[in-house]
Amino acid sequence: MKKRIFGLFCLLAMLTACTPKNPEEPANVPPEPTSPSVASPESPKQPDTPPEDPNAIHFFECGTLDLSNPSETVGRENFEEFLNVTGAGNAATIQITQPDKEGSPITSTLSFEDGTYTFKNAGSETTWKQLQIAEFTSSGQIHQTFRLTNVQDLPAETPDGKEAITLFEEIIES
């Protein structure tokens, strides 16, 4: 019996708590309907999109990715941030240091803006439509490769050339 009374009390409390009350309005009288507001010809039209935030960041410097030591990748988190920022459509840049054929470190710049990747390396500049991440197995190890390309679904084994360039490759599982 106590549970029933308590339950009824709770139900009554919820009903009275959820109903807005105006102390000047008589009880049990529904409020008068209001007419929808009509904009006067003098009132300015509201924009469809909110104004741009003047403090919004439009370009991100993502730091460096150092691949000059084959046994240790430094700044991998910077590259992941670059992928996150550009994946959201924001402009960004990252410096990538890699060894050349002789083993000397060279620094390249990868940037993304307006849907295009630009890769600047040793005085040359190329533009690409997408950055593909592909996985493949070689010698029992799983590799992940990051490539710039203009070709949709380019096979990972496609050699570098006019269709793609490899930014870097890493072993993700032995």
Side-chain angles (χ1 to χ4, degrees):
M1 183 72 164
K2 287 183 182 180
K3 288 184 181 180
R4 271 193 190 159
I5 293 172
F6 182 72
L8 288 173
F9 177 75
C10 288
L11 180 61
L12 183 61
M14 286 181 3
L15 289 174
T16 58
C18 295
T19 305
K21 297 256 185 194
N22 182 349
E24 296 174 13
E25 195 174 287
N28 298 328
V29 176
E32 290 183 33
T34 58
S35 62
S37 61
V38 178
S40 65
E42 296 86 26
S43 65
K45 183 181 176 192
Q46 295 297 320
D48 292 338
T49 57
E52 187 173 327
D53 180 0
N55 297 320
I57 299 173
H58 296 286
F59 189 83
F60 293 82
E61 281 284 341
C62 295
T64 52
L65 172 66
D66 189 347
L67 305 165
S68 57
N69 181 352
S71 62
E72 179 184 15
T73 300
V74 178
R76 179 69 164 84
E77 67 281 357
N78 296 338
F79 189 72
E80 289 174 14
E81 183 65 19
F82 177 82
L83 294 176
N84 290 334
V85 167
T86 59
N90 295 310
T93 187
I94 188 167
Q95 303 294 317
I96 302 174
T97 302
Q98 296 175 295
D100 62 8
K101 292 178 184 176
E102 292 79 34
S104 300
I106 57 168
T107 301
S108 306
T109 303
L110 176 62
S111 58
F112 176 82
E113 189 169 4
D114 297 327
T116 302
Y117 292 91
T118 303
F119 187 65
K120 295 178 185 177
N121 181 5
S124 69
E125 181 177 309
T126 54
T127 57
W128 306 89
K129 293 179 184 173
Q130 56 188 304
L131 192 154
Q132 288 182 345
I133 304 169
E135 290 183 8
F136 64 95
T137 303
S138 176
S139 304
Q141 298 176 320
I142 299 175
H143 296 250
Q144 192 172 50
T145 184
F146 298 86
R147 307 181 84 198
L148 295 169
T149 183
N150 292 323
V151 179
Q152 187 71 25
D153 299 324
L154 184 74
E157 58 274 359
T158 304
D160 284 358
K162 290 195 307 187
E163 292 184 330
I165 61 167
T166 301
L167 292 172
F168 70 98
E169 180 180 306
E170 61 186 357
I171 298 171
I172 58 173
E173 193 174 303
S174 299

